Amino acid sequence: MKKTLLTFYFLLISFSALLYAQKNKTAYDIVVAADGSGNYTKVQDAFNAVPDNNSKRTVIFVKPGVYKEKLKLTSGKKNVSLIGESYKNTILTYDDYAEIAGGTSKSFSVLIEANDFFAENITFENTISSELPQYKKGGQAVALMVNGDRVIFHNCKMSGFQDTFYLKANKRTYIKDCIIDGTTDFIFGAGIALFENCVIQCRKDSYITAGNHEAGKSKYGFVFKDCVIMKYPKADISKVSLGRPWGAGANTVFIHSYEESIIIPEGWSIWSKDPENKVYDNWKTSFYAEYDCFGPGSDTDKRISWSKQLNKVEVSEYTKEKIFAANTTTANKLEGDWNPVIEKDKCNSVLPSKKAKNADSNFEKAFN
């Protein structure tokens, strides 16, 4: 009897320990830590460890730190989640630029080629400044480049100067509760992208977007909803354009967004003032529009004649489901409709009240 009770006691302890271990089992498949306390010290090693063509999601947690690496998640590494503690202390950075990298597309700090990638609480950074001498010789410096489809960035920061965020392919990306900063054309490419509740910070008098969409092939391009367009802290600027057409079908729309006084009265710009430039006529086939924007830079009285103010019927077409439907483009064959949902999204709106004073904002991003 005594032996039986002792055996039962040990079994009970073992079972309790197992339950405790299961309850506290980490939700991460791979941990990256610069101090050696994780599975790897480098993010690229974690990317390389992801099985090719994996149908199961691989979750990588990156502990706080500054990771200076030129990173590439190849197309076979599907279904990866990259999670940091906070974009303020988990930073992926590099300092490449077009002249030495061999072109803008090779200047990235981070390249995401895989489908179904998700990033949260991460800063993607390129530190090459437009003030450096080499800028004049090809200083385009991409912080983050996306070639995959169905990609999500939540509560992240994309920071750089010229060409910060390159949505290269005509594929779908959802950007929510993020900060994006830069100087010239710092959100650019041919992607189908929805930016929701984001802060767009301009570092100099230049252009925010440069769409490279093909004419007549995509219903949607870059869509900004409930965003704040403002100057970078302490930047001395006053003439920022919402965008210019790199491609003949450039497509950019701002919906219910706050625009500081830095936005030029015309709103938008042509690519080049030289009629001999091969992209001079791109404005004729591009689509630039706004709806219900507010703030001191939102006055539409002097907007260029070829931009548009949407009406209620037209703006009703700009839902997440419709933007990311597979049939909205003929420039690329997309796989299925997509309606991304971010779980446990507790971020607050970054928009100031419309009832607030109609002056430049003096507020910080409203989420951590």
Side-chain angles (χ1 to χ4, degrees):
M1 180 68 178
K2 188 175 181 180
K3 185 176 181 181
T4 302
L5 287 173
L6 190 62
T7 302
F8 177 76
Y9 176 72
F10 279 115
L11 285 173
L12 184 62
I13 291 176
S14 299
F15 182 67
S16 298
L18 180 62
L19 285 177
Y20 180 83
Q22 289 294 326
K23 183 179 179 181
N24 292 277
K25 185 179 179 181
T26 178
Y28 310 117
D29 299 296
I30 300 172
V31 175
V32 180
D35 63 5
S37 61
N39 303 104
Y40 300 100
T41 59
K42 295 183 180 298
V43 177
Q44 187 62 58
D45 290 340
F47 282 175
N48 295 342
V50 175
D52 284 338
N53 300 312
N54 191 16
S55 59
K56 179 185 175 183
R57 182 156 293 274
T58 300
V59 182
I60 302 171
F61 180 70
V62 184
K63 288 189 176 183
V66 177
Y67 298 82
K68 187 176 181 181
E69 305 177 56
K70 191 175 179 72
L71 298 170
K72 183 177 181 179
L73 186 69
T74 56
S75 58
K77 310 290 186 179
K78 301 176 181 179
N79 293 302
V80 170
S81 292
L82 188 69
I83 312 296
E85 180 183 87
S86 167
Y87 73 87
K88 296 177 181 178
N89 62 21
T90 309
I91 301 168
L92 310 183
T93 186
Y94 207 68
D95 55 1
D96 217 345
Y97 58 98
E99 185 189 13
I100 62 171
T104 301
S105 295
K106 296 179 180 179
S107 70
F108 60 84
S109 296
V110 180
L111 167 59
I112 305 301
E113 292 185 327
N115 292 346
D116 301 300
F117 175 79
F118 175 85
E120 187 173 61
N121 304 333
I122 301 282
T123 285
F124 302 89
E125 179 184 72
N126 192 314
T127 58
I128 286 294
S129 169
S130 56
E131 303 303 316
L132 296 176
Q134 60 264 42
Y135 177 79
K136 298 297 182 182
K137 299 179 181 179
Q140 296 89 348
V142 176
L144 175 62
M145 179 169 151
V146 177
N147 267 341
D149 189 30
R150 300 184 302 272
V151 173
I152 299 174
F153 296 97
H154 180 235
N155 206 33
C156 290
K157 183 175 183 179
M158 298 76 167
S159 184
F161 294 85
Q162 182 172 0
D163 294 354
T164 301
F165 191 12
Y166 193 2
L167 295 150
K168 186 178 182 182
N170 189 241
K171 298 178 182 179
R172 297 164 290 187
T173 305
Y174 183 40
I175 306 101
K176 190 170 191 301
D177 306 329
C178 291
I179 299 175
I180 306 159
D181 67 57
T183 55
T184 300
D185 305 334
F186 61 95
I187 300 172
F188 72 116
I192 301 169
L194 173 59
F195 300 79
E196 281 191 333
N197 202 46
C198 291
V199 175
I200 313 301
Q201 295 183 328
C202 309
R203 290 178 178 264
K204 69 179 290 187
D205 289 331
S206 197
Y207 316 92
I208 297 173
T209 66
N212 193 30
H213 309 92
E214 295 183 63
K217 291 192 175 182
S218 296
K219 183 175 181 179
Y220 304 103
F222 300 155
V223 180
F224 297 82
K225 296 180 74 173
D226 303 322
C227 292
V228 169
I229 317 302
M230 62 184 293
K231 66 180 180 180
Y232 190 80
K234 298 182 180 180
D236 184 17
I237 59 175
S238 60
K239 297 179 181 179
V240 174
S241 171
L242 294 172
R244 59 176 180 164
W246 180 21
N251 189 322
T252 303
V253 177
F254 286 85
I255 298 170
H256 191 240
S257 292
Y258 180 87
E259 299 173 354
E260 280 193 346
S261 62
I262 58 173
I263 302 303
I264 58 175
E266 299 84 358
W268 313 86
S269 304
I270 60 176
W271 184 265
S272 171
K273 295 180 180 180
D274 179 8
E276 300 301 318
N277 191 303
K278 65 179 181 180
V279 296
Y280 173 80
D281 289 331
N282 282 356
W283 63 271
K284 296 179 180 179
T285 49
S286 296
F287 185 79
Y288 285 140
E290 296 166 274
Y291 176 81
D292 193 34
C293 291
F294 63 108
S298 65
D299 189 346
T300 62
D301 288 347
K302 296 182 180 179
R303 288 296 195 250
I304 52 174
S305 60
W306 42 273
S307 68
K308 184 177 178 63
Q309 295 298 313
L310 301 176
N311 59 41
K312 288 185 178 180
V313 174
E314 291 168 328
V315 82
S316 68
E317 292 294 306
Y318 286 82
T319 64
K320 187 166 50 176
E321 295 84 352
K322 291 181 179 180
I323 292 169
F324 291 138
N327 64 355
T328 60
T329 181
T330 58
N332 190 34
K333 187 176 181 180
L334 300 176
E335 184 181 337
D337 296 337
W338 186 47
N339 184 19
V341 175
I342 296 173
E343 297 180 3
K344 300 179 181 179
D345 182 8
K346 298 179 181 179
C347 296
N348 298 319
S349 171
V350 297
L351 287 173
S353 170
K354 279 192 173 183
K355 296 179 181 179
K357 184 179 179 181
N358 191 34
D360 285 347
S361 54
N362 183 21
F363 60 92
E364 295 183 359
K365 185 163 166 284
F367 38 90
N368 296 319

